[in-house]
C-alpha cells in the first residue's frame, strides 16, 4: 500500500446527521484563536476538507469536526468544523458528536453521571454536558453561543417565487426562517427537490440584497441556511426542513438552527427562559432546546440556548490517499 495522506477519525451520527471527528493527521492549524484557525484552514488547507467530506470518502451531506488543541485557557479541546459546503463557525449536531466521541474514546476524563467538556469553537466557548452511565454517553446538552434575532417579519423578492415573508436570526450561523406554506410546498420528503430549490433561491436573494453580518465574528457575513417551518408548528414544538447551501438537508434537527429559532421566538415574546422547545428534523429526529439566560452581543439583546440530543459512534477509520488516486480532493456528484 502506498500512502500520500492518512487521517484518523471516529465517525458518529447525531440524530441521523454524520460527524466525522478527525483525531489525527491534520496537525496544529496556525492561528491565535479558533476562528483564526478556521480562516487559515479555509485559505490554505481546504484540500483536507474536500478530501474528507466529498465523495468517495464522504457524500453530499457529509459533515465533520477536526480536533485541535484549545487556544484558550478555559477550554479542554478546540474544534474546527468541516462540511461539504465549507467551515461553519459553529455546528450543534457536530458538537454533540464531538462530545460523545471524546467520552466514548476516553479522550477526556470521564465522570458519571455528567462529564463536562469545554470546547473552544470558532464562534466562542461552548460547554457540553454529557450524561454518562456505565461509560456510555447517553445524551449531550450543549450550552451554545449567544443567539439573537436579526430581523422579524421582513420580506425578500425571490425570482420565481415573488415577495416572500421571512425572519432571520443567529444561533451560531445565520438562519432565514420561512413558513413552508409561503412557498406552497408540503412537509413531505417527496417534495425535497422543490423545497431545496426554494431554499437556495431564498438564501441567494437575501445574500444579494441584505446579507447579515455578525458584529464580532470575522468572516460571518452570509446566510446559507433556510429553516422551512412546517404547518402546525408552535413555540413549544416545531417541525422543519433545513435547506443548506449548496444543496442538502440537515438530517438532524440542527443545533444552531434550533438556537436561532428559539432566539426568534424569544424576540417575539413567544418563548420564555427555562421552557422546553422541541424541534423535529425532516427525518423525524428531535432536539430539545431551552433558553437559559439573557445577554447581549455588541449591544444587541441576545439569549444563551441549550440543546439536548444524542449521538452514536458508527466507526473508526483511517482515510487514505494513494498517490495514483485521480481524485485527491474527491468530487461532488
Ligand atoms: O446542528 O448546527 C447544526 C448544523 C448546522 C449544519 C448542519 N447541522
Amino acid at each position: 500500500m502506498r500512502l500520500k495522506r492518512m487521517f484518523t477519525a471516529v465517525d458518529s451520527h447525531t440524530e441521523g446527521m454524520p460527524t466525522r471527528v478527525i483525531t489525527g493527521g491534520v496537525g496544529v492549524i496556525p492561528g491565535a484563536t479558533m476562528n483564526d484557525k478556521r480562516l487559515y484552514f479555509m485559505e490554505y488547507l481546504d484540500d483536507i476538507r474536500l478530501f474528507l467530506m466529498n465523495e468517495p470518502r464522504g457524500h453530499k451531506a457529509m459533515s465533520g469536526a477536526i480536533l485541535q488543541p484549545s487556544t484558550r485557557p478555559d477550554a479542554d479541546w478546540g474544534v474546527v468544523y468541516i462540511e461539504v459546503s465549507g467551515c461553519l463557525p459553529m455546528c450543534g449536531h457536530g458538537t454533540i458528536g464531538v462530545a460523545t466521541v471524546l467520552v466514548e474514546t476516553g479522550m477526556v476524563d470521564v465522570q458519571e453521571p455528567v462529564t463536562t467538556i469545554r470546547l473552544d469553537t470558532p464562534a466562542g466557548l461552548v460547554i457540553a454536558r454529557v450524561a454518562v452511565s456505565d461509560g456510555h454517553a447517553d445524551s449531550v446538552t450543549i450550552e451554545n453561543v449567544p443567539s439573537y434575532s436579526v430581523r422579524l417579519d421582513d420580506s425578500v423578492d425571490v425570482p420565481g417565487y415573488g415577495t416572500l415573508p421571512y425572519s432571520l436570526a443567529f444561533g451560531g450561523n445565520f438562519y432565514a426562517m420561512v413558513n413552508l406554506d409561503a412557498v406552497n410546498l408540503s412537509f413531505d420528503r417527496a417534495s425535497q427537490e422543490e423545497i431545496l430549490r426554494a431554499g437556495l433561491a431564498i438564501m441567494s436573494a437575501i445574500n444579494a440584497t441584505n446579507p447579515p453580518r455578525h458584529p464580532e465574528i470575522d468572516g460571518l457575513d452570509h446566510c446559507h441556511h433556510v429553516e422551512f417551518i412546517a404547518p402546525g408548528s408552535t413555540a413549544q414544538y416545531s417541525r422543519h426542513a433545513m435547506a443548506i447551501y449548496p444543496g442538502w438537508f440537515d438530517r438532524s434537527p440542527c443545533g444552531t438552527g434550533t438556537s436561532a429559532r428559539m432566539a426568534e421566538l424569544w424576540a417575539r415574546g413567544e418563548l420564555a427562559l427555562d421552557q422546553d422547545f422541541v424541534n423535529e428534523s425532516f427525518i423525524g429526529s428531535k432536539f430539545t432546546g431551552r433558553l437559559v439566560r439573557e445577554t447581549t452581543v455588541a449591544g444587541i439583546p441576545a439569549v444563551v440556548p441549550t440543546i439536548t440530543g444524542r449521538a452514536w459512534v458508527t466507526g473508526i477509520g483511517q482515510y487514505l490517499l494513494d498517490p495514483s488516486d485521480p481524485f485527491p480532493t474527491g468530487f461532488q456528484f
Side-chain angles (χ1 to χ4, degrees):
M1 187 166 55
R2 291 172 302 162
L3 293 183
K4 195 168 171 199
R5 279 201 133 144
M6 182 173 92
F7 298 95
T8 55
V10 181
D11 285 353
S12 64
H13 81 84
T14 302
E15 306 291 354
M17 182 69 199
T19 309
R20 176 163 292 161
V21 182
I22 309 303
T23 51
V26 177
V28 177
I29 303 167
T33 68
M34 207 48 63
N35 198 40
D36 289 348
K37 288 180 187 290
R38 166 181 168 260
L39 296 172
Y40 182 96
F41 181 88
M42 285 161 62
E43 186 156 358
Y44 300 108
L45 300 171
D46 204 42
D47 55 320
I48 297 177
R49 176 185 68 83
L50 297 170
F51 171 81
L52 290 164
M53 299 288 99
N54 276 344
E55 294 189 47
R57 295 168 191 82
H59 51 78
K60 70 176 177 184
M62 192 63 198
S63 179
I66 300 171
L67 293 179
Q68 286 288 294
S70 170
T71 61
R72 42 191 298 165
D74 57 352
D76 304 302
W77 280 96
V79 187
V80 171
Y81 302 99
I82 50 177
E83 56 170 42
V84 270
S85 38
C87 295
L88 299 179
M90 171 55 198
C91 178
H93 91 266
T95 307
I96 291 171
V98 164
T100 299
V101 165
L102 289 173
V103 165
E104 299 253 331
T105 56
M107 291 176 78
V108 286
D109 179 24
V110 178
Q111 302 288 335
E112 298 194 14
V114 177
T115 300
T116 301
I117 309 168
R118 299 168 69 85
L119 293 166
D120 177 9
T121 82
L125 184 71
V126 172
I127 302 171
R129 296 185 178 90
V130 188
V132 186
S133 59
D134 296 328
H136 180 259
D138 295 334
S139 70
V140 181
T141 297
I142 58 166
E143 188 173 309
N144 194 7
V145 296
S147 302
Y148 60 93
S149 165
V150 179
R151 40 192 103 122
L152 290 178
D153 303 322
D154 205 342
S155 62
V156 59
D157 293 330
V158 184
Y161 295 87
T163 303
L164 294 179
Y166 78 103
S167 296
L168 198 125
F170 177 80
N173 300 288
F174 287 109
Y175 288 84
M177 280 152 290
V178 178
N179 286 329
L180 208 37
D181 284 347
V183 287
N184 295 317
L185 292 169
S186 52
F187 187 62
D188 181 346
R189 275 157 72 178
S191 304
Q192 59 178 282
E193 290 304 324
E194 293 103 305
I195 297 175
L196 203 46
R197 201 170 312 124
L200 294 174
I202 292 167
M203 58 185 96
S204 156
I206 292 171
N207 290 329
T209 57
N210 193 6
R213 179 181 294 276
H214 196 283
E216 293 176 344
I217 303 174
D218 275 356
L220 188 40
D221 51 9
H222 55 263
C223 171
H224 274 171
H225 300 79
V226 176
E227 188 163 346
F228 284 105
I229 315 291
S233 294
T234 69
Q236 290 77 43
Y237 196 111
S238 190
R239 296 182 307 152
H240 71 277
M242 181 66 76
I244 303 183
Y245 178 88
W248 53 283
F249 288 100
D250 197 340
R251 277 69 170 147
S252 86
C254 195
T256 50
T258 302
S259 300
R261 176 94 166 114
M262 288 194 292
E264 182 227 355
L265 293 168
W266 175 75
R268 289 185 188 285
E270 294 179 14
L271 183 66
L273 297 189
D274 300 320
Q275 304 293 309
D276 279 355
F277 171 76
V278 178
N279 208 8
E280 187 178 317
S281 73
F282 210 5
I283 66 163
S285 56
K286 298 182 186 83
F287 282 160
T288 300
R290 274 186 164 227
L291 300 173
V292 294
R293 63 181 177 277
E294 297 181 4
T295 183
T296 54
V297 174
I300 304 165
V303 270
V304 175
T306 64
I307 303 290
T308 301
R310 302 162 304 167
W312 295 267
V313 172
T314 55
I316 295 181
Q318 292 176 316
Y319 292 94
L320 313 177
L321 179 64
D322 182 298
S324 67
D325 186 333
F327 303 113
T329 53
F331 57 87
Q332 293 186 5
F333 192 67

